[in-house]
Amino acid sequence: MISLECPRLRFEADLRPLLGSTFQPTGFPDIGAVEFQRAGYEGRSLLVESVQSMANRLEGTAWDGATRRPVELLAALPYVRVHRRDDPDEYLTSSREEAHRLASAFIRDSELDGRSMVDVIRERLNLVKDTPLDYPRMARALLTLDPFCLIHGVFFSRKEWLGQPKFPRAVSAVIEAHNVQQVVSGGRKADHVRHQLIGGGGSSEGYGSVPFHRIEWTAGEIKAMFVVDVELLRSYGLGVRVTELLVAIALWEIRTLLSGGLRLRTACDLEVVTGPEDLPERDELEARIGELIAAERDAFGDGPITVLWKG
């Protein structure tokens, strides 16, 4: 069994570049790479992967992109599949792939058995005028729609969803690098056909040989850090075994992400040097998850829910 006594479970892993010693951090429009001064450190620090991006990567460990379905271990848990109304056999997306999960526009603007999903979600969550939000009741409803919303969060922000309930993510992660230095290099895009830009298209159209520069980084240390908010999941009052299942899935995602490689970008391929010793092994987590899903089958719906997008 996984202990639920600790309010937060914290894990760290030391990383390094798999190839060479440089890496490419995440970047943001008009900002670029995020540098900062970490308290107690003389050197500069760098955000390698943001909390938002790590949430997507963790959730992605449970999804099989080739089959466009959950991995076999978690296939029995419900989620919403979105198909095109004009062609019900055409799969579009799902609550496991959409950034806003059940609050996605594709789900919101879909129908289930001829009823708007806005109404379906409002009724299942019991969003009633002049009535306080009942988070334990809403959490039980989310178990029958997509329990991953309790792990990775969901915000029902539309005015039709009275009270706009928000479920914070229960698992968070970030990758940071410390004592960093820039590595400035460059290259040249060569054109072996057009040697002179005289007439016709130029470099803006993709012709010609174009030099470029690039900035990568080295670091004294790179750390991946994870937190699972057990106290938050306990607050939903779902019972010991369901809560343990949600925690176990979060731990499985962390273990799977660290075990499966961390190729974050073309020039950012990281490997684990030292992993978290207190994080259960993957086979142990998989065995426990299987037991808990079988034991709590009545708390969940009957597999995937298919809705038809009206767009």
Side-chain angles (χ1 to χ4, degrees):
M1 293 182 62
I2 296 170
S3 174
L4 303 180
E5 296 179 0
C6 184
R8 305 285 191 281
L9 299 176
R10 301 177 59 184
F11 307 97
E12 287 191 2
D14 293 315
L15 311 176
R16 68 185 175 197
L18 184 65
L19 176 65
S21 57
T22 66
F23 62 91
Q24 176 190 11
T26 188
F28 298 87
D30 302 323
I31 298 177
V34 178
E35 291 185 73
F36 62 96
Q37 187 69 50
R38 184 182 181 186
Y41 276 63
E42 294 184 1
R44 297 287 289 172
S45 295
L46 191 67
L47 179 64
V48 180
E49 199 73 352
S50 69
V51 174
Q52 306 94 297
S53 180
M54 287 296 285
N56 294 334
R57 295 184 185 280
L58 286 168
E59 193 169 13
T61 61
W63 185 258
D64 185 342
T67 63
R68 307 182 82 175
R69 291 185 177 276
V71 297
E72 185 61 30
L73 174 67
L74 304 167
L77 297 178
Y79 69 104
V80 175
R81 293 178 62 85
V82 181
H83 288 228
R84 195 182 298 277
R85 182 171 62 176
D86 295 338
D87 185 1
D89 292 330
E90 183 182 353
Y91 171 82
L92 294 176
T93 185
S94 74
S95 58
R96 298 287 176 83
E97 298 170 279
E98 287 295 301
H100 299 290
R101 300 175 187 86
L102 285 174
S104 159
F106 285 97
I107 294 175
R108 185 188 68 232
D109 295 336
S110 293
E111 294 180 346
L112 176 63
D113 298 328
R115 298 190 62 223
S116 167
M117 280 299 291
V118 170
D119 295 335
V120 171
I121 290 175
R122 182 175 61 237
E123 291 179 8
R124 293 208 185 185
L125 298 185
N126 194 41
L127 304 179
V128 182
K129 183 179 179 181
D130 299 330
T131 302
L133 296 175
D134 186 339
Y135 274 87
R137 176 171 179 167
M138 291 188 293
R140 289 193 298 272
L142 291 181
L143 287 180
T144 67
L145 291 168
D146 189 345
F148 273 57
C149 288
L150 298 175
I151 300 172
H152 293 287
V154 63
F155 181 22
F156 297 101
S157 60
R158 301 283 294 188
K159 64 179 181 180
E160 297 92 340
W161 290 319
L162 301 173
Q164 289 80 52
K166 184 175 185 178
F167 288 79
R169 65 171 62 99
V171 55
S172 300
V174 68
I175 300 178
E176 295 178 356
H178 306 294
N179 193 20
V180 299
Q181 295 186 33
Q182 289 188 354
V183 179
V184 181
S185 64
R188 183 175 72 98
K189 174 262 180 186
D191 190 334
H192 69 279
V193 175
R194 179 164 289 180
H195 305 293
Q196 293 180 300
L197 298 182
I198 301 176
S203 59
S204 61
E205 288 79 28
Y207 296 102
S209 297
V210 182
F212 62 88
H213 75 275
R214 63 185 297 156
I215 297 176
E216 295 175 316
W217 297 79
T218 61
E221 65 175 11
I222 306 174
K223 284 188 174 292
M225 292 160 279
F226 306 86
V227 175
V228 180
D229 193 338
V230 178
E231 186 176 20
L232 173 64
L233 294 173
R234 280 204 313 255
S235 73
Y236 298 141
L238 299 172
V240 173
R241 288 190 297 193
V242 172
T243 303
E244 184 187 352
L245 173 60
L246 297 177
V247 172
I249 291 173
L251 298 182
W252 178 86
E253 290 180 344
I254 296 171
R255 175 59 74 186
T256 301
L257 184 66
L258 293 176
S259 302
L262 289 162
R263 188 168 194 187
L264 308 178
R265 280 164 293 281
T266 299
C268 190
D269 195 355
L270 306 176
E271 64 177 349
V272 177
V273 179
T274 305
E277 296 181 357
D278 48 350
L279 179 62
E281 293 298 329
R282 187 173 175 179
D283 56 353
E284 177 186 347
L285 289 166
E286 289 179 348
R288 187 57 180 158
I289 288 171
E291 293 172 357
L292 291 168
I293 290 177
E296 293 296 319
R297 186 62 61 89
D298 291 342
F300 305 99
D302 298 323
I305 301 166
T306 300
V307 299
L308 301 179
W309 182 52
K310 298 182 292 184

